[in-house]
Amino acid sequence: WLEFAEAWGGKYPAIVRLWENAWAEFTPFLAFDAEIRRVICSTNAIESVNARIRRAVRARGHFPNETAALKCIYLAVMSLDPTGQGRKRWVIRWKGALNAFDVAFDGRLTAGRK
């Protein structure tokens, strides 16, 4: 921490102050397994899905009822994976993280499946 402050404190004092103020909230994040940290930090996929949904809704304009809006959103989400191969990739990508979550949180993820 002090190395960071020495290296960047003169050029970016506001960032150093931000780190000092948020350090207590940030350090518990470092205690998680690397797989869990990777999942927490990867918001690109979520933002991509949100952008696709916004684009579909904006292109449609208005909806006569809630069912029509939900149908539009459903079709936008289903078009993200038209071949159906996404689930296989999802399982491979998340398997390590799900195992790490299960270990870190004492089986709370699998408790409902028994």
Side-chain angles (χ1 to χ4, degrees):
W1 161 248
L2 292 176
E3 296 171 16
F4 175 79
E6 289 173 6
W8 298 101
K11 190 171 184 179
Y12 302 107
I15 294 176
V16 171
R17 191 169 48 253
L18 179 71
W19 270 73
E20 287 173 349
N21 293 338
W23 191 251
E25 289 82 22
F26 178 69
T27 52
F29 171 76
L30 298 174
F32 285 119
D33 189 61
E35 293 289 334
I36 295 175
R37 290 196 311 261
R38 187 176 302 124
V39 170
I40 291 172
C41 291
S42 62
T43 59
N44 287 344
I46 296 166
E47 290 177 13
S48 174
V49 170
N50 288 336
R52 288 283 194 87
I53 293 171
R54 278 194 306 272
R55 190 177 317 134
V57 168
R58 199 173 347 177
R60 176 74 167 93
H62 70 285
F63 300 97
N65 54 36
E66 186 176 337
T67 305
L70 288 173
K71 209 178 276 189
C72 178
I73 292 171
Y74 172 79
L75 291 172
V77 169
M78 293 309 289
S79 72
L80 294 172
D81 185 26
T83 63
Q85 298 298 312
R87 184 166 179 82
K88 290 179 189 172
R89 287 193 313 266
W90 184 89
V91 169
I92 292 168
R93 190 175 300 138
W94 280 78
K95 187 168 257 182
L98 288 173
N99 288 333
F101 275 118
D102 199 37
V103 169
F105 296 105
D106 291 330
R108 283 189 274 172
L109 291 176
T110 56
R113 291 187 225 154
K114 292 179 182 178

